[in-house]
């Protein structure tokens, strides 16, 4: 007669419990990591949209300084730039940071992009432009900001 060795029911249940706790922890870590990765990808896109607008504004400034300075006021004027077709035709009334509908989100149907133009000095020697992009994700609002000061080089 030979004796067969095997695991008891208690040993199998302990192993399955430990294994399931490990798998649940691994799944939650992967979920959090994927969510953070998505946020970082969207942040990179928003920064790209900010830099794109900043380059266009630099070109506008170089083209005609006199017209460029009329875009701002000492208190600041805000303009919405909802598409890649950039122009100054969409001024925003009020503070777009407080207004959900002040600037529509049509960049990839996700991002709102706007710029606040503030003149500094009298006569105007500098123009500060603050470019904002924001988006909603998983019930949270994320924002990026790019500040630039433009001057006239003579």
């Amino acid at each position: 007669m030979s004796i067969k060795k095997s695991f008891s029911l208690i040993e199998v249940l302990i192993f399955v419990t430990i294994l399931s706790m490990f798998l649940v922890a691994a799944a939650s870590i992967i979920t959090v990591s994927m969510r953070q990765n998505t946020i970082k990808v969207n942040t990179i896109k928003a920064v790209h949209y900010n830099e794109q607008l900043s380059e266009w504004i630099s070109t506008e400034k170089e083209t005609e300084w006199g017209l460029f300075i009329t875009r701002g006021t000492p208190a600041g004027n805000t303009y919405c730039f909802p598409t890649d077709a950039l122009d100054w035709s969409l001024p925003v009334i009020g503070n777009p940071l407080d207004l959900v509908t002040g600037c529509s989100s049509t960049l990839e149907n996700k991002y709102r992009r706007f710029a606040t133009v503030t003149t500094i000095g009298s006569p105007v020697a500098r123009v500060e432009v603050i470019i904002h992009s924001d988006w909603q994700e998983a019930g949270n609002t994320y924002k990026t900001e790019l500040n630039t000061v433009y001057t006239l080089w003579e």
Side-chain angles (χ1 to χ4, degrees), residues 85-101:
L86 301 172
D87 62 33
W88 296 102
S89 65
L90 295 171
V92 176
I93 307 301
N95 184 357
L97 293 172
D98 297 331
L99 300 174
V100 175
T101 59

Side-chain angles (χ1 to χ4, degrees), residues 42-43 46-47 50 131-135 142-146:
N42 288 333
T43 301
V47 167
N50 288 355
I131 300 169
H132 302 271
S133 289
D134 63 17
W135 69 99
Y142 297 93
K143 300 175 184 178
T144 61
E145 185 176 290
L146 177 63

Side-chain angles (χ1 to χ4, degrees), residues 136-151:
Q136 296 276 332
E137 187 170 320
N140 296 319
T141 301
Y142 297 93
K143 300 175 184 178
T144 61
E145 185 176 290
L146 177 63
N147 296 341
T148 308
V149 175
Y150 297 97
T151 59

